[in-house]
Amino acid sequence: MKTGNKEMQCPASAPVKVLFVCLGNICRSPMAEMVFRHMVNEKNLSDFFEINSAGTEEYNALTRAGIHPGTKAVLRQNHIPFTEHIARYFTKKDYEYYDYILVMDHQNKRDVLNIIGKEVSDKVFCLMDFTSHPGDVQDPWYTGRFEETYHAVFEGCSGFLKWLNQHADLKL
Ligand code: 4NP
């Protein structure tokens, strides 16, 4: 699979460490974290993955904000189990530690690159790049449309897992 002109790279070994990143780490990235963990659990692949989420804006981490009630509600409606997640700020250490940094929109990508002090990176991807219609996962903090965001997140996570299955050197 290609994003733009660049071939995506795969890490060689499990566990595959995946970090979902958005702005506030209370709506989209914890949603993606819970959806992807559930997908992986359903396929008995949890030993192959380490999954977490973070935000590029520090405020919610400083106030120790939990998952947005709208995200919790849409996860419940779609029978996705979840645990509480306290917002955490994305750091350079996260970048070094995780194999895949999956951002929700192009501004998140710019913010991540800014935090790590790089112009490009071969492990930062927009989640929707793993679907047939790349673009941004709309932020329900602004749109109020949590269900719409859930469907995008689900599609992105599903596409990412399929892509890993085809490309990573893992027996998934
Ligand atoms: P998220 O949405 O990036 O999907 O978590 C937001 C949550 C909080 C804020 C902005 C976006 N905020 O400004 O606090």
Side-chain angles (χ1 to χ4, degrees):
M1 181 178 178
K2 289 187 174 183
T3 52
N5 292 321
K6 202 163 65 60
E7 195 73 38
M8 289 186 182
Q9 301 294 312
C10 298
S13 61
V16 178
K17 301 195 277 301
V18 181
L19 186 70
F20 293 97
V21 175
C22 63
L23 176 62
N25 192 215
I26 61 172
C27 297
R28 293 167 295 170
S29 60
M31 192 188 291
E33 175 189 342
M34 303 308 165
V35 166
F36 191 64
R37 184 172 293 126
H38 181 58
M39 273 178 193
V40 158
N41 287 347
E42 290 269 285
K43 294 179 189 298
N44 291 319
L45 295 173
S46 52
D47 289 350
F48 286 94
F49 289 95
E50 186 174 328
I51 305 161
N52 205 341
S53 65
T56 58
E57 150 67 52
E58 213 169 1
Y59 177 76
N60 288 314
L62 289 173
T63 58
R64 295 188 52 75
I67 300 173
H68 191 287
T71 288
K72 288 183 176 176
V74 85
L75 290 172
R76 280 193 199 99
Q77 279 155 20
N78 289 280
H79 311 289
I80 307 291
F82 62 90
T83 50
E84 187 53 280
H85 172 84
I86 302 300
R88 51 191 290 285
Y89 179 56
F90 173 81
T91 63
K92 266 188 180 182
K93 276 197 173 167
D94 286 322
Y95 178 76
E96 284 152 21
Y97 182 75
Y98 287 92
D99 299 310
Y100 289 98
I101 313 293
L102 301 183
V103 300
M104 299 297 129
D105 62 38
H106 288 80
Q107 184 59 51
N108 299 153
K109 192 171 190 172
R110 286 189 285 276
D111 292 339
V112 160
L113 292 174
N114 192 33
I115 290 168
I116 63 176
K118 283 176 177 266
E119 283 186 12
V120 290
S121 164
D122 62 3
K123 60 178 179 177
V124 181
F125 303 101
C126 288
L127 184 62
M128 298 310 281
D129 284 350
F130 296 95
T131 74
S132 57
H133 45 94
D136 292 343
V137 176
Q138 299 303 316
D139 192 342
W141 174 264
Y142 300 107
T143 67
R145 295 195 295 269
F146 285 85
E147 187 71 31
E148 177 187 295
T149 292
Y150 171 80
H151 289 298
V153 161
F154 188 93
E155 206 184 338
C157 286
S158 176
F160 175 58
L161 193 53
K162 271 193 201 126
W163 180 83
L164 271 184
N165 199 18
Q166 288 162 0
H167 293 82
D169 186 19
L170 293 166
K171 303 244 178 323
L172 296 181

